[in-house]
Amino acid sequence: MVKVVKFGGSSLASAEQFKKVAAIIKAEPCRRYVVPSAPGKRTKNDTKVTDMLYSCYDAASKGEDITNHFGEIEARYNGIISELGLDFSLADEFEAIKNAFIHKAGRDFAASRGEYLNGLILAEYLGFDFIDAAEVIFFNDNGLFDSERTNAVLASELKKHEYAVIPGFYGSMPNDTIKTFSRGGSDITGSIVARAAECDLYENWTDVDGFLMADPRIVENPRVIGEITYRELRELSYMGATVLHEDAIFPVRFAGIPINIRNTNNPEAHGTLIKSSSDKYDTGNVITGVAGKKGFSVITVEKDMMNAEVGFGRRVLEVLESNDICFEHLPSGIDNMSVIINTHELEGRRERILNGICRAVNPESVDIEDGLALVAVVGRAMVKAKGTAARVFKAISGAGINIRMIDQGSSEISIIVGVEEADFEEALKAIYNEFVY
Ligand code: ASP
């Protein structure tokens, strides 16, 4: 059994957190490869080291004196080192990084040092080897992650180390400069290492007990999801439920490695297990989770006999395509077709789109309505449970809310309902309460 373990910024924000992390790692000898983030916030109003690095680098690029700024970053690391009682110094590293800032080594380089330095400390504290991500994680000339080259080099490097720390968030470009993933990207590194190590489980340690069935800002004390499939997770994350970086799913999904979200501050909790497929249909609640987002618009095109007009849908969509707009949903009737899109995509293009559609299909009417919120009810068990859709609609109408759109994909793992933005929170609560008790 081999496990790859990734620890987020809050799990490594202070010496106290480092101690919890080491206890977790040492509790199971199979936790062999460790991917750390940079130190995160210690308290609500604290600043993440990554953000300190970005702003310090921006100051250096403007030619400002960064002595104080950089000193604060050094102090964060030195505090951790001394409180852990390590006989270890990063002084040479600090000197080199500060010089690189002054010589404009790049914003990505700057941000990546957060993980790099934290990785050095963690490797020292654990007594593990250190593998610099720049040597094993690669991007191509277009700045896209080069999965195959990375996997080959990383897999053979890992074989040389029984225990190692590989910092998250960055890799290198063909010209040897440093590039980072997007924010929160250490999750991606963890997943890449998990694939290359061909491990049995990728544990992603954070500061919550797992994925919740609903947004805790809307539903009071929502339950933790025990087990979820990648597809369900995609549906929920797309709707705004976040714990894990979206791109972190791909490397492990194809390798068939499950991800376990765990809580560093509550290691007894089992967390959420994310798997490719689950035969555990008995989630106890029929639904796995409910999530949603505001900020959608509906373009409705009406024309008699639309259903008999060959190429109608294509011509409408071509107008969106030529305006560089992607659509989210496409619920259609016999004589009308609706296209749901993100409202911000329409900015400055409304007239052009309306005119384009008129020219393309000569409809009886076409209009755009804003203010739509979408709610996704997601659950693999819905396929087997009769009457789920009816229960969703009953819950919403029972709360006195008008449903503006319904879309159930043929896969039956989700039902999407459109409501007025003002009704969004109530709709979500009503659905949660209908299924969870
Ligand atoms: N430190 C980086 C960030 O704050 C990456 C990560 O934590 O995953 O976005």
Side-chain angles (χ1 to χ4, degrees), residues 249-299:
I249 291 176
F250 298 106
V252 280
R253 180 173 179 173
F254 292 114
I257 300 166
I259 308 177
N260 193 184
I261 308 284
R262 299 284 299 263
N263 188 352
T264 302
N265 304 320
N266 183 19
E268 277 76 44
H270 295 292
T272 301
L273 190 64
I274 310 165
K275 297 166 68 177
S276 320
S277 66
S278 175
D279 29 28
K280 235 178 106 194
Y281 278 99
D282 180 18
T283 50
N285 309 298
V286 181
I287 66 166
T288 301
V290 51
K293 264 200 299 207
K294 296 183 181 178
F296 292 95
S297 301
V298 198
I299 305 180

Side-chain angles (χ1 to χ4, degrees), residues 299-301 315-316 318-320 322-323 346 348-363 365-368:
I299 305 180
T300 306
V301 190
R315 287 198 293 277
V316 171
E318 258 171 10
V319 175
L320 297 180
S322 62
N323 280 284
L346 288 172
R349 292 188 268 201
R350 282 172 195 262
E351 281 308 304
R352 243 194 359 246
I353 290 165
L354 290 174
N355 293 338
I357 293 175
C358 285
R359 272 197 307 274
V361 293
N362 193 21
S365 74
V366 50
D367 64 55
I368 302 180

Side-chain angles (χ1 to χ4, degrees), residues 6 8-9 37-38 48 50-51 54 111 115 168-169 182-187:
K6 179 259 169 180
S37 280
K48 287 180 168 194
T50 309
D51 292 311
Y54 278 126
E115 280 46 30
F169 194 36
S182 57
R183 293 301 302 265
S186 298
D187 283 343

Side-chain angles (χ1 to χ4, degrees), residues 74 79 88 101 109 127 161 177 214 227 263-264 306 399:
E74 290 182 16
F88 175 71
F101 274 34
F109 168 81
H161 307 267
T177 55
E227 195 166 307
N263 188 352
T264 302
M306 172 204 101

